[in-house]
Amino acid sequence: MNVRVGDIIKLENNQFVAADLLLLSSSEPHGLCYIETAELDGETNMKVRQSVSVTSELGDPNNLAQFNGEVVCEPPNNKLDRFRGMLYWREKKYTLTNQNMLLRGCVLRNTEACYGLVIFAGPDTKLMQNSGRTKFKRTSIDRLMNTLVLWIFAFLVCMGIVLAVGNAVWEREVGTLFQHYLPWDPSVNGFLFSAVRTFWSYVIILNTVVPISLYVSVEVIRLGHSYFINWDQLMFCSKCNTAAEARTTTLSEELGQVEYIFSDKTGTLTQNIMSFKKCSINGHSYGEVADPLGPQPKRLDFTPFNLLADPDFCFYDDTLLESVKVGDSHTQEFFRLLSLCHTIMSEEKSEGELVYKAQSPDESALVTAARNFGFVFRSRTLGTITTTEMGRTVTYTLLAILDFNNARKRMSVIVRNPEGRIRLYCKGADTVLLQRLRPCKQDLINITSDHLNEYAADGLRTLALAYRDLTEEQWEMWSESHQCADKEEDLLSAAYEQIEQDMTLLGGTAIEDKLQEGVPETIALLSLANIKTWIVTGDKQETAVNIGYSCKMLTDDMTQVFIISGHSVQRVKQELRRAREQMIALSQTKDGEREEVVEGCGEVCFMKFKGAGKQSQCPPSNRMDNISGDFALIINGHSLAHALEADMEEEFITTACACKAVICCRVTPLQKAQVVELVKKYKRAVTLAIGDGANDVSMIKSAHIGVGISGQEGIQAVLASDYSFSQFRFLQRLLLDVPDQRSLEYPKLYEPGQFNLLFNKKEFFICIAQGIYTSVVLFFVPYAILANASQSNGEPLTDYQTFAVTTATALVIVVSVQISLDTGFWTIFNHVFVWGSLGCYFTIMFAVHSQTLFSSFPNHFHFVGSAQSTLLQPVVWLTIALATVICIVPVLAFRFLKLDLKPQLSDTIRHTQLMCEKKRRPAGGRLASTWRSAGSVSEGRLGARGGSRRSGYAFAHQEGFGELITSGKNMRLSSLALASFASRHSSSWIDTLRRKKHAHTPPSASGECTPALSHSSSVLGCSQEAPTEVETVQDSRMIPTTSTSVEASEDLREGAVSTGSPSVAEKTAQKE
Amino acid sequence: MAKAKSGPLARRPDNSAFKQQRLPAWSPMLTANTVLPFFYFMAVICLLLGIWLLLTVQSVQEIRMDYTDSGACAHCHDLRKNVSNAALICTCKLYFHVDRPLKGDVFFYYGLQNFHQNLRRYMDSRDDAQMVGRKTNLKKPSSYCKPFATNDKGLPIAPCGAVANSIFNDSFKFQYLGSGSSDEPVPLWRKGISWYTDKNIKYRNPQMDNLSLAEVFHGTAPPPYWHRPVYELQTHDAINNGFINEDLIVWMREAAFPNFKKLYGILQRTNKPFESGLPKGNYSVEITYNFPVQYFRGRKQVVLTTLNWFGGPNKFLPIAYLITSCLVLLAAIGLTVVCKE
């Protein structure tokens, strides 16, 4: 597709937005459309966008084709939450803001179709602006190799110089004497010139010491690795029919050195599916699976009970269904609350076929649960909610929606049931809600709160539910005060506060933000391998923390969890400092205990590995390196913006690296990359970033290794990644592979790679030293022996050709033996190649020394007959044997000593496994069992439910949707016809949406946004010229509720009550 | 090649042992149980070999005489100092006494010290194509032979190059003085002293085509330092003349080290008193002293030796084995101690 700026493109439901679009019109009323931005910023809730109202009427393609407006806007930038522009059309100006924009990477949801004008395309899109620069990734081995090759080259030059000097000396002392037999070349007039020539000759002759072929070999090996990754069946996901894919062939060995993993949350750790798991009703907990190891309980079948049930809904505890069936009033009220208290829109395509359009997946899960348990939310109008309760259709009058916001952490609805009773239903965080209950029934409160804690400890997202009966007078009174409070946020929440009191607890719900398969296990395993996992997400703090708990990164028995959420540099600095001080203080007390424990157990291995820790490069606090204890750091995007400033970086990184778990929430894509860069810069560690969405692209690109989750909708991340597979858990296989089963069992085996113990400069020089030793032996042993040896017929073996064949054969044999020693696994290929190379050597040698070749090219193959005459001599074989023994025995002894005195973990494990196999005795695995028990201990600890109380509250909801509903903006015309209720501050819902959003974005990102807020009214007002007019209309509308509704019914064509007037005004203006 | 697979597992990788890295593998491991016995075994093997070789070497006898400037040869040495005397013939005699008879085959070598036959430029200075008898190369020697490719008159040199030019041209007359009675020449095989492949493949005279060897070599010049052309090296024996003269062949097989010996002849054990080797008594070697060594501070030797199966009095090999054996044994003991601790 060739999308260009200025094109108008049509998007259909569930399609990806292909470029940054200005929303022109949509199939929904008022040019509204819904988008999911999980790909873009990781937030799970739905967002609403609205077109400028003039364009929203350009319904069909013909009209759109006539559209000839001009858009003037800011240059392309990476601010995802901000857009400023101006639409000039028909000699009028309309202000454009982010609310009119559909950004590339979003997915259109709950909207049949919409049309948009391309504002930015291709690399100019905000998504691409956020994705950072593509860098050529190279591994540290590549870099090390480059250094080493330079050194080797220097060594070569040195050798050349030494040999040239040697040549000069020799030519002066001896060569001159030899002139008689061997005159110098005519061009050579002295030993000095001969030396210069010798230098270059040696540089050329000895160029083989520069291991240029090493690059090729390494590349070939990596290519092989990447094929093995592609071929791995255990990294194949049958569900999405996706195999792992190594998209680059140059990074394989880096996989063995990863120290930090940066993981996205949505779609990577989680499946982005919410499911209703458990609930506590009137002190009774439902949904518990009795025995996790027992047979999988049967999934409940709701169809016989409820025709409207959602067939995809899963629930296993049939006692809850029984309770509903017998008509338990608490249970019924519980589900009634769930079916009423929400901001979902429903759509009934055909009878019984309900589709819920939810802003947050949590709500959808809750309402679906209610639906299956017989309380079916059918439809809503401005002032009513129609449900089917146990097969009976009931219509409630919706009196008010007390909208959700992050400070209140709850939402309520006030409804009047058909009998005329007014009731307030409230759902929200237990911490908030439990304080607002009627102080009786303390037992129930305690039990429910215990249940919620239990759920929270299981990593479920909890909400507490409560209701309050209101008398007509109370409602009237509050309604008035509420109206007065209008728009003033503080007053409004005070008004809400006022009525959300004295509630009666109904129970609590627990929703599972479904993790991908095996995520906690993978993270636990990786952390045993000393790999630190950081969650970096654009989602809210609560949801991120909740996921942190459910994937066992955070546990209740962590020493301390620090939350950094300051809004200013000073504040963040302070918070970080305090965290560090506490860590040091706490770890000192803890260290004392721990050392005793370790000594007591006598687990030598643990001590060893503790000692192996490398010195960090962070200068300010050496003490920070030795911090023990489980700390966690949670940092918000706006604080992170400060923490990433140049002078704070170090402070942040020391604090963060001392923590076991780090969660960064509400971060922008660019910040993700910055965090990765920061760790790369300060820790010099190999980093891996894993993500699925377009918002992870920058992070994936900047990490040493980028992993994309494939098999999902988006492919942006996959395209930018180096490796891709479909499940987070495959990460453990990718990192801890060869030999797979062993390294998965002993993740500690991963550590040598991180510390670069297997190939570093020291190892390199050991190899060089060994090489020099070997070459000395290989020259002087044959020299000393052959100088005095003869064939049996008296012909001496001193000749050059015999010596050459002997030395070369000895070399090949020594190298083969050395390779055999280095080979850990003798598969058929190893045999073929080791024996094959020996065979090849002899074959080629005999061929080159053959009569045939000699008779064709006598000057080139003048070794004729050397091979057979040399290799037939027993003394030659004695020489080779001696040289081999002298070369190999020290290596063998050295290795054995190292193995015996300083065994690597891998050696020990190999040893124990060997013993086990040999003796078939389980007792052989002393160390193995140590490790295994260590693993299980930590597993056990992870799973333990701590004593500390913690709220599992997390809700992917955004403020403003209550207003959206009460304003009726998103109602279809049919439902509006019944409208008899209007909200007071209806036109401002979208302002609220935006305002709330801004309040939560990092100041750095939205710093310039504040002035833009002054134009907020023009979003709906459309015309810059008449803001005052719009304001006055709004003001006038505020006074009598009834009159507005009348007006609305008169002007049904305009669709909505609240904005009816400005639309009319505008329409007339256009006509004029 | 592309298999049209479909279904949910269409893209699933093949389940082959290779692709899934499940090839059966033998995974050896350095353990005390394998390494220590190996070390002891190696020590024992080396020890036994060393002792055996040492015993074998004991039976070898060698007589080595330097004649560069000793005794009678001193005047020849002085004579050869001056190049202008190159044409003058100088002979000298070397007397020696054999206390113990040399039993079995006895080999007569000449030895040179400090002569760098292994110099790269020296070794390159030859034309194997010429010496294999290619007529084109006979008349047009390889440029590697320079400056010994053509003589002053522009005639091609055969055999060309520095190697052939510098041939060792001393000759020896070996005599048994017996118990004092008469001088009896000690018969030496002067053939069969070179490699079979050299004699029969590597060096060939140019095709004769009913011509004499001299006619074949017509139009070529002998190397400048030679007294006679290549086709007169052994006039009475056609198969030991020209390029296939064994002294030339032996010389052309360059030594790898600056000190070397080359085979000159093998004792003929057909007649008395040499049937069982060289008997006890006085011997003389009459040397035609041609080869100058003073330019390069070299030494010349005559070496008489018997042989065992691996060569002459080669003490290094058994001693190296014995030392290696001791070191391996020490290492083994050390490792055992470390291991037991």
Side-chain angles (χ1 to χ4, degrees), chain A residues 487-505:
Chain A
K487 289 206 89 171
E488 298 281 331
E489 205 175 326
D490 297 344
L491 290 176
L492 205 61
S493 54
Y496 288 164
E497 196 88 350
Q498 191 190 336
I499 198 153
E500 284 165 337
Q501 292 291 345
D502 283 337
M503 295 187 285
T504 313
L505 186 66

Side-chain angles (χ1 to χ4, degrees), chain A residues 160-323:
Chain A
I161 291 170
V162 167
L163 289 166
V165 169
N167 178 267
V169 171
W170 192 90
E171 287 288 356
R172 208 176 78 113
E173 300 291 319
V174 184
T176 42
L177 308 176
F178 245 84
Q179 293 264 3
H180 195 61
Y181 294 120
L182 188 67
W184 281 333
D185 284 347
S187 54
V188 179
N189 49 16
F191 62 90
L192 281 178
F193 187 71
S194 161
V196 172
R197 280 197 359 166
T198 307
F199 171 75
W200 291 110
S201 306
Y202 274 116
V203 167
I204 293 166
I205 290 169
L206 297 177
N207 76 76
T208 40
V209 299
V210 180
I212 293 302
S213 70
L214 186 65
Y215 285 101
V216 182
S217 318
V218 167
E219 282 306 317
V220 169
I221 290 167
R222 286 169 177 162
L223 185 72
H225 285 164
S226 60
Y227 271 110
F228 276 121
I229 291 169
N230 292 350
W231 284 334
D232 198 338
Q233 270 196 322
L234 295 176
M235 287 205 278
F236 173 78
C237 173
S238 47
K239 238 181 271 165
C240 37
N241 189 18
T242 322
E245 191 189 353
R247 298 173 48 83
T248 168
T249 59
T250 54
L251 300 173
S252 306
E253 79 273 358
E254 204 101 292
L255 290 174
Q257 302 183 306
V258 173
E259 272 184 74
Y260 289 90
I261 292 178
F262 297 90
S263 175
D264 179 37
K265 180 186 75 74
T266 318
T268 307
L269 295 175
T270 67
Q271 302 177 0
N272 206 8
I273 296 173
M274 307 287 168
S275 60
F276 181 80
K277 263 282 172 327
K278 292 176 184 176
C279 60
S280 163
I281 303 172
N282 197 27
H284 190 286
S285 176
Y286 297 95
E288 289 286 352
V289 180
D291 178 12
L293 299 171
Q296 188 71 22
K298 226 177 73 193
R299 188 176 143 175
L300 285 186
D301 184 13
F302 290 94
T303 34
F305 157 71
N306 182 354
L307 289 173
L308 291 166
D310 182 354
D312 294 332
F313 181 74
C314 269
F315 203 76
Y316 297 101
D317 192 350
D318 58 348
T319 51
L320 183 57
L321 189 57
E322 285 307 309
S323 168

Side-chain angles (χ1 to χ4, degrees), chain A residues 15-69:
Chain A
Q15 274 185 346
F16 268 97
V17 180
D20 287 358
L21 304 178
L22 171 66
L23 180 61
L24 290 177
S25 72
S26 109
S27 61
E28 305 296 301
H30 288 270
L32 284 178
C33 77
Y34 301 88
I35 51 171
E36 188 187 277
T37 57
E39 274 276 292
L40 200 59
D41 56 17
E43 288 187 32
T44 41
N45 56 338
M46 206 89 75
K47 305 216 171 45
V48 64
R49 292 288 183 265
Q50 194 188 26
S51 61
V52 180
S53 57
V54 270
T55 59
S56 66
E57 286 142 28
L58 298 164
D60 64 297
N62 290 331
N63 285 344
L64 282 165
Q66 306 284 314
F67 179 75
N68 59 353

Side-chain angles (χ1 to χ4, degrees), chain A residues 540-557:
Chain A
K540 299 200 302 189
Q541 183 188 321
E542 291 92 354
T543 45
V545 168
N546 187 275
I547 287 301
Y549 276 102
S550 58
C551 59
K552 315 279 192 230
M553 269 181 68
L554 304 176
T555 53
D556 282 336
D557 56 354

Side-chain angles (χ1 to χ4, degrees), chain B residues 17 51 233 286:
Chain B
I51 291 171
L233 284 175
E286 187 186 320

Side-chain angles (χ1 to χ4, degrees), chain A residues 180 231 794 798 826 855 878 910, chain B residues 20 26 28 109 134 225 256 321:
Chain A
H180 195 61
W231 284 334
T798 40
W826 284 88
S855 50
L878 283 177
R910 264 179 85 179
Chain B
Q20 299 308 318
W26 173 58
Y109 298 92
R134 292 198 175 172
Y225 295 174
Y321 265 103

Side-chain angles (χ1 to χ4, degrees), chain B residues 133-145:
Chain B
R134 292 198 175 172
K135 279 197 169 157
T136 46
N137 296 70
L138 186 68
K139 300 284 161 60
K140 249 184 94 184
S142 152
S143 61
Y144 278 99
C145 287

